């Protein structure tokens, strides 16, 4: 009889001592009846310091008030409680430091009454890993959502709040389908189930177009990457989500730009071919006028020669127009940006126009002009066209006065060419920049009508803009801007 | 008065231009013979068949660019490998409607092209070219 109890006790002690977990045996009064070696190590006490003490010695003070009641509840209906069940638990070391724990409880019926065997694991490291995981999810630059097998959202980050417009507390604990547009909502649980049957990493952008539903009921186009995650609570999936609405807009814009570039190339080719094919018959007319003059001179009267000359002039004019068309389409092609001293450039233009200026008695005043980044050949054409126009479209009874000025703004140079000429009616402000438009009969003011179209294109090549200020009979100001930084 | 060449070849698909250029050459007494080819291929065929009776070697070739089928550029590729006696003394001149800077630049880069000019061929141009390339 007495032999047997000693044997059983020894066996029990050996079992408890050999287990790697901390084991604490507690009696009904809440006193520690026994601790094993790992417990001493875990809590920093010698076992003689613990035996006979209330269990609360191992619990942080802030939990002392409730713990006896929990203990009484447990003893009134003892049952096995598994590790990790319920709320976060903390333990207290001898040195006063706390640490997170998981505790499994087992009732133990003995001749001395019911005891509780508590198995305790320090989960500090696991807690840290968990915190690190949450931190990574929270700090991700895109929306992250952790979903369990039932489709319940268990974790979201700040970017998710931003993307969908919900607060975290509105999302956690709810079904993922709340973020899916109605037309996809019905099928999603099936997709989720089939995913969980064979979880695998699914990269961003794989598969069909996907949409999310915001709190304000607007839809966003999204890309989703899926990663299976195995947790103590079962299989989960971490969804990484990017709003690609903006990217779709950008793609659309790029496609449009590409299309416009193609059209511009086509237009240039068209202009070149048109120019070439149109010039051939014109040259034939011109050549055969020469043949007639040379071979039939003695048979023609002066009237007939006059007719031939008229035909010749018309043909020559057409050649000029056709070549101007080609040059217009080639503006900017193959050019390189250079530093252009506008004051020097305008001085050169004025020098080139010296004859015209003298004939007409024009007075030209050049203000302070900057150095800009641009295409020097084209900028010279620009100034030459505008200054020439200012001289040409002068009043009959008044000498032309032309001023070339520049005003500097934060982002651009704003040039002005001011004249005292015949002016332009407001209704024609846009029309003058159309190719081949002329506002005045050729007899009064000669021109081919493409010069201002040149000017507009040259300014736009520099990412600037050109506009008119004018009133009829009160002169005209042509303004244009050249940005300080040119992007090519 | 500039030297009179034995033969000038015109390579152009435009018969009106060929007529006019042929006439300019004759009136200016620039050559005894004018060979007219209305396509680049016809010109190549002519230059290859040197054994034919009455074949005349051209001293100068005026070459258009834009022609149906083989273009002026393609002619030049074939011409480069052509066997032609005293080839170094044959002057090839581009004569074309195009004033496309790209074409001018392209011609400039071809060693057996002497120069590039816009149509029409004129007395002044003929005299200039013969003076430059055919001194005696």
């Amino acid at each position: 009889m007495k032999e047997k109890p000693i044997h059983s006790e020894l066996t029990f002690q050996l079992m408890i001592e050999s287990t790697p977990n901390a084991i604490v045996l507690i009696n009904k009064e809440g006193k520690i009846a026994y601790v094993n070696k790992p417990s001493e190590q875990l809590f920093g006490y010698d076992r003689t310091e613990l035996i006979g003490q209330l269990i609360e010695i191992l619990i942080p003070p802030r939990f002392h008030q409730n713990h006896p009641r929990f203990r009484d509840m447990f003893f009134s209906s003892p049952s096995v409680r598994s590790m990790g069940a319920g709320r976060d638990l903390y333990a207290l070391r001898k040195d006063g430091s706390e640490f997170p724990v998981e505790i499994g409880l087992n009732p133990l019926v003995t001749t001395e009454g019911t005891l509780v065997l508590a198995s305790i694991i320090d989960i500090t490291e696991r807690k840290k890993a968990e915190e690190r995981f949450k931190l990574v999810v929270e700090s991700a630059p895109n929306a992250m959502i952790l979903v369990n097998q039932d489709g319940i959202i268990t974790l979201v980050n700040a970017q998710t709040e931003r993307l969908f417009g919900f607060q975290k507390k509105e999302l956690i604990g709810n079904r993922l389908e709340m973020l899916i547009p109605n037309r996809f909502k019905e099928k999603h649980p099936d997709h989720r189930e089939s995913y969980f049957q064979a979880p695998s990493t699914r990269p961003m952008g794989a598969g069909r177009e996907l949409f999310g539903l915001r709190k304000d009921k607007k839809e966003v186009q999204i890309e989703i990457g899926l990663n299976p995650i195995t947790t103590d609570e079962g299989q989960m999936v971490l969804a990484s989500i990017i709003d690609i609405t903006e990217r779709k807009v950008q793609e659309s814009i790029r496609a449009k730009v590409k299309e416009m570039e193609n059209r511009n190339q086509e237009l240039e080719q068209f202009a070149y071919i048109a120019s070439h094919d149109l010039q051939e018959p014109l040259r034939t007319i011109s050549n055969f006028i020469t043949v007639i003059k040379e071979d039939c001179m003695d048979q023609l009267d002066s009237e007939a020669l006059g007719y031939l000359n008229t035909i010749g002039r018309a043909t020559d004019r057409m050649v000029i127009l056709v070549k101007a068309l080609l040059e217009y389409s080639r503006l900017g092609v193959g050019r390189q940006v250079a530093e252009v001293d506008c004051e020097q450039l305008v001085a050169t233009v004025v020098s080139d126009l010296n004859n015209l200026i003298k004939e007409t008695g024009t007075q030209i005043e050049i203000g302070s002009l900057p150095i800009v980044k641009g295409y020097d050949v084209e900028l010279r054409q620009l100034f030459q066209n505008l200054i020439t126009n200012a001289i040409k479209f002068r009043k009959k009874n008044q000498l032309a006065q032309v001023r070339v000025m520049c005003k500097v703004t934060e982002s651009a140079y704003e040039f002005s060419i001011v004249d005292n000429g015949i002016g332009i009616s407001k209704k024609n402000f846009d029309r003058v920049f159309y190719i081949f438009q002329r506002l005045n009969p050729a007899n009064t003011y000669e021109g081919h009508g493409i010069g201002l179209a040149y000017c507009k294109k040259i300014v736009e090549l520099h990412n600037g803009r050109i506009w008119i200020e004018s009133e009829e009979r009160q002169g005209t100001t042509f303004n244009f801007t050249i940005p300080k930084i040119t992007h090519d | 008065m500039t030297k009179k060449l034995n033969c000038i070849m015109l390579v152009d698909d435009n018969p009106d231009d060929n007529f006019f250029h042929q006439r300019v050459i004759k009136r200016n007494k620039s050559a005894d013979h004018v060979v007219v080819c209305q396509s680049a291929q016809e010109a190549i065929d002519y230059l290859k068949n040197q054994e034919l009776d009455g074949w005349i070697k051209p001293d100068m070739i005026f070459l258009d660019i834009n022609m149906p089928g083989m273009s002026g550029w393609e002619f030049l590729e074939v011409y480069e490998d052509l066997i032609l006696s005293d080839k170094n003394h044959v002057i090839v001149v581009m004569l074309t409607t195009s004033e496309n800077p790209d074409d001018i630049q392209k011609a400039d880069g071809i060693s057996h092209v002497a120069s590039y000019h816009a149509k029409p061929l004129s007395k002044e141009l003929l005299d200039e070219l013969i003076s430059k390339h055919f001194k005696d």
Side-chain angles (χ1 to χ4, degrees):
Chain A
M1 175 69 177
K2 197 166 185 182
E3 286 288 324
K4 190 172 180 180
I6 292 174
H7 178 72
S8 297
E9 192 167 304
L10 277 174
T11 303
F12 177 78
Q13 276 185 323
L14 281 173
M15 286 171 63
I16 293 202
E17 287 300 330
S18 66
T19 185
N21 287 5
I23 303 288
V24 177
L25 214 53
I26 304 153
N27 68 20
K28 202 161 189 175
E29 290 82 46
K31 291 184 176 178
I32 300 170
Y34 181 83
V35 300
N36 67 349
K37 189 69 175 177
S39 287
E40 292 178 293
Q41 290 162 351
L42 186 61
F43 292 100
Y45 287 101
D46 185 82
R47 85 178 58 189
T48 59
E49 296 176 277
L50 290 174
I51 293 179
Q53 300 293 327
L54 287 171
I55 187 61
E56 276 77 25
I57 193 175
L58 302 179
I59 296 169
R62 66 176 184 275
F63 301 116
H64 284 180
Q65 188 168 345
N66 293 328
H67 190 261
R69 182 158 47 83
F70 289 138
R71 185 160 25 79
D72 290 342
M73 283 170 59
F74 183 84
F75 275 105
S76 65
S77 57
S79 64
V80 176
R81 190 187 305 170
S82 61
M83 285 280 186
R87 63 193 184 283
D88 288 340
L89 300 173
Y90 291 87
L92 186 68
R93 294 193 184 90
K94 182 177 181 180
D95 65 9
S97 62
E98 291 186 20
F99 58 101
V101 292
E102 263 182 7
I103 302 177
L105 299 177
N106 285 275
L108 209 59
V109 179
T110 72
T111 54
E112 295 172 37
T114 302
L115 299 173
V116 176
L117 188 149
S119 179
I120 304 161
I121 294 176
D122 180 355
I123 61 168
T124 302
E125 285 309 311
R126 196 205 302 165
K127 267 295 194 205
K128 284 181 182 174
E130 203 172 292
E131 286 305 310
R132 277 196 297 270
F133 175 77
K134 286 183 177 177
L135 186 60
V136 166
V137 167
E138 182 60 30
S139 64
N142 49 286
M144 305 276 276
I145 300 179
L146 188 64
V147 181
N148 69 17
Q149 251 174 331
D150 299 320
I152 303 298
I153 299 169
T154 63
L155 178 69
V156 298
N157 67 347
Q159 290 294 339
T160 302
E161 290 180 303
R162 203 161 302 147
L163 176 54
F164 291 100
F166 289 101
Q167 301 206 353
K168 282 178 182 167
K169 64 184 186 234
E170 295 177 285
L171 292 168
I172 292 180
N174 283 313
R175 295 186 145 269
L176 183 63
E177 278 76 31
M178 71 184 285
L179 302 178
I180 295 171
N182 283 342
R183 65 180 183 280
F184 303 114
K185 206 166 282 193
E186 196 170 304
K187 291 175 188 168
H188 188 262
D190 293 337
H191 289 140
R192 182 159 31 77
E193 259 182 48
S194 70
Y195 178 83
F196 274 112
Q197 275 161 26
S200 63
T201 298
R202 192 183 301 168
M204 282 279 181
R208 65 192 184 282
E209 289 195 325
L210 300 168
F211 295 86
L213 184 66
R214 288 171 45 87
K215 185 173 184 179
D216 60 12
K217 302 304 176 188
K218 288 177 185 168
E219 290 188 14
V220 286
Q221 189 161 7
I222 56 182
E223 269 181 4
I224 302 180
L226 299 177
N227 288 277
I229 293 184
T230 303
T231 73
D232 294 336
E233 299 167 40
Q235 187 73 55
M236 290 190 156
V237 61
L238 183 64
S240 182
I241 305 168
I242 289 178
D243 179 357
I244 62 171
T245 304
E246 181 66 19
R247 193 207 298 169
K248 283 293 183 182
V249 170
Q250 290 299 322
E251 278 175 16
S252 177
I253 290 174
R254 270 198 301 275
K256 284 283 196 287
V257 167
K258 179 69 177 174
E259 188 184 339
M260 288 181 75
E261 282 169 1
N262 290 342
R263 293 303 174 92
N264 277 339
Q265 201 167 12
E266 284 168 15
L267 279 173
E268 186 186 323
Q269 284 168 10
F270 167 79
Y272 165 68
I273 292 167
S275 169
H276 176 273
D277 287 354
L278 289 173
Q279 284 190 74
E280 277 202 338
L282 294 175
R283 185 178 54 255
T284 298
I285 294 171
S286 187
N287 287 347
F288 278 86
I289 287 171
T290 301
V291 170
I292 291 171
K293 283 180 176 179
E294 288 176 356
D295 289 4
C296 311
M297 179 70 83
D298 55 338
Q299 300 169 52
L300 298 171
D301 58 19
S302 62
E303 208 166 297
L305 285 176
Y307 299 152
L308 288 180
N309 288 336
T310 300
I311 296 172
R313 280 196 301 274
T315 305
D316 290 346
R317 175 165 183 74
M318 187 64 186
V319 170
I320 289 169
L321 291 178
V322 167
K323 288 182 179 179
L325 182 63
L326 179 58
E327 284 170 21
Y328 173 83
S329 75
R330 286 191 56 89
L331 280 174
V333 173
R335 306 301 192 235
Q336 285 192 1
V337 175
E339 295 245 317
V340 182
D341 182 336
C342 291
E343 211 159 297
Q344 188 176 317
L345 192 77
V346 170
T348 304
V349 167
V350 170
S351 174
D352 287 350
L353 297 174
N354 189 50
N355 286 343
L356 177 63
I357 291 168
K358 279 186 174 153
E359 281 168 22
T360 58
T362 300
Q363 181 183 326
I364 298 194
E365 178 190 331
I366 304 174
S368 176
L369 303 177
I371 294 174
V372 305
K373 285 190 190 297
Y375 307 118
D376 54 347
V377 171
E378 280 77 6
L379 284 175
R380 181 185 172 134
Q381 271 183 286
L382 172 61
F383 280 110
Q384 179 159 329
N385 269 287
L386 293 177
I387 293 170
T388 302
N389 275 5
I391 297 170
K392 264 174 43 174
F393 297 106
R394 66 193 179 278
K395 291 166 180 167
K396 284 198 166 66
N397 60 343
Q398 192 173 344
L399 295 181
Q401 289 176 26
V402 182
R403 285 181 293 148
V404 183
M405 302 181 303
C406 182
K407 167 167 72 179
V408 185
T409 70
E410 185 178 348
S411 58
Y413 302 102
E414 191 177 300
F415 294 86
S416 300
I417 290 82
V418 188
D419 70 44
N420 63 341
I422 62 176
I424 299 173
S425 166
K426 213 173 283 293
K427 68 177 185 290
N428 291 325
F429 278 8
D430 286 331
R431 193 175 154 207
V432 293
F433 293 112
Y434 298 165
I435 199 165
F436 292 140
Q437 288 293 309
R438 285 193 294 122
L439 305 183
N440 304 281
N443 286 349
T444 309
Y445 298 96
E446 190 177 332
H448 57 42
I450 199 171
L452 286 180
Y454 270 53
C455 294
K456 185 168 193 286
K457 190 168 183 186
I458 291 167
V459 168
E460 287 170 356
L461 278 176
H462 290 79
N463 300 306
R465 63 185 190 98
I466 185 168
W467 72 99
I468 296 168
E469 292 166 9
S470 180
E471 289 190 35
E472 288 186 89
R473 290 178 295 280
Q474 291 184 42
T476 302
T477 300
F478 276 89
N479 303 288
F480 65 90
T481 57
I482 303 289
K484 287 183 175 175
I485 298 171
T486 302
H487 301 284
D488 284 293
Chain B
M1 187 60 179
T2 52
K3 180 187 179 183
K4 193 176 197 183
L5 304 182
N6 184 42
C7 179
I8 291 177
M9 173 185 271
L10 301 174
V11 187
D12 196 331
D13 66 297
N14 186 328
D16 296 330
D17 282 348
N18 283 332
F19 169 86
F20 187 78
H21 293 164
Q22 195 172 7
R23 186 174 170 278
V24 170
I25 293 167
K26 285 180 176 177
R27 284 176 62 91
N28 201 44
K29 297 181 171 53
S30 296
D32 288 323
H33 306 280
V34 178
V35 175
V36 176
C37 300
Q38 262 185 246
S39 73
Q41 187 60 57
E42 188 184 336
I44 292 292
D45 292 344
Y46 177 89
L47 293 171
K48 276 182 175 177
N49 292 292
Q50 299 165 42
E51 325 81 38
L52 291 181
D53 287 346
W55 186 85
I56 307 171
K57 173 177 159 283
D59 300 303
M60 186 179 291
I61 301 174
F62 287 103
L63 177 67
D64 192 14
I65 290 179
N66 291 289
M67 290 180 279
M70 186 183 285
S71 73
W73 303 122
E74 289 163 318
F75 171 94
L76 290 169
E77 284 170 25
V78 178
Y79 180 82
E80 188 169 14
D81 297 325
L82 203 67
I83 307 297
L84 191 62
S85 62
D86 208 11
K87 192 176 180 183
N88 286 341
H89 290 103
V90 179
I91 302 301
V92 179
V93 175
M94 312 297 291
L95 185 63
T96 178
T97 304
S98 172
E99 290 182 43
N100 188 340
D102 295 341
D103 285 342
I104 296 171
Q105 203 169 0
K106 190 170 177 179
D108 206 40
I110 301 176
S111 60
H112 46 289
V113 170
S115 56
Y116 184 107
H117 301 277
K119 293 176 179 177
L121 181 61
S122 66
K123 172 188 179 317
E124 291 76 20
L125 179 57
L126 269 173
D127 288 345
E128 181 196 327
L129 288 168
I130 293 174
S131 293
K132 183 178 178 185
H133 298 291
F134 297 94
K135 305 179 199 296
D136 248 32

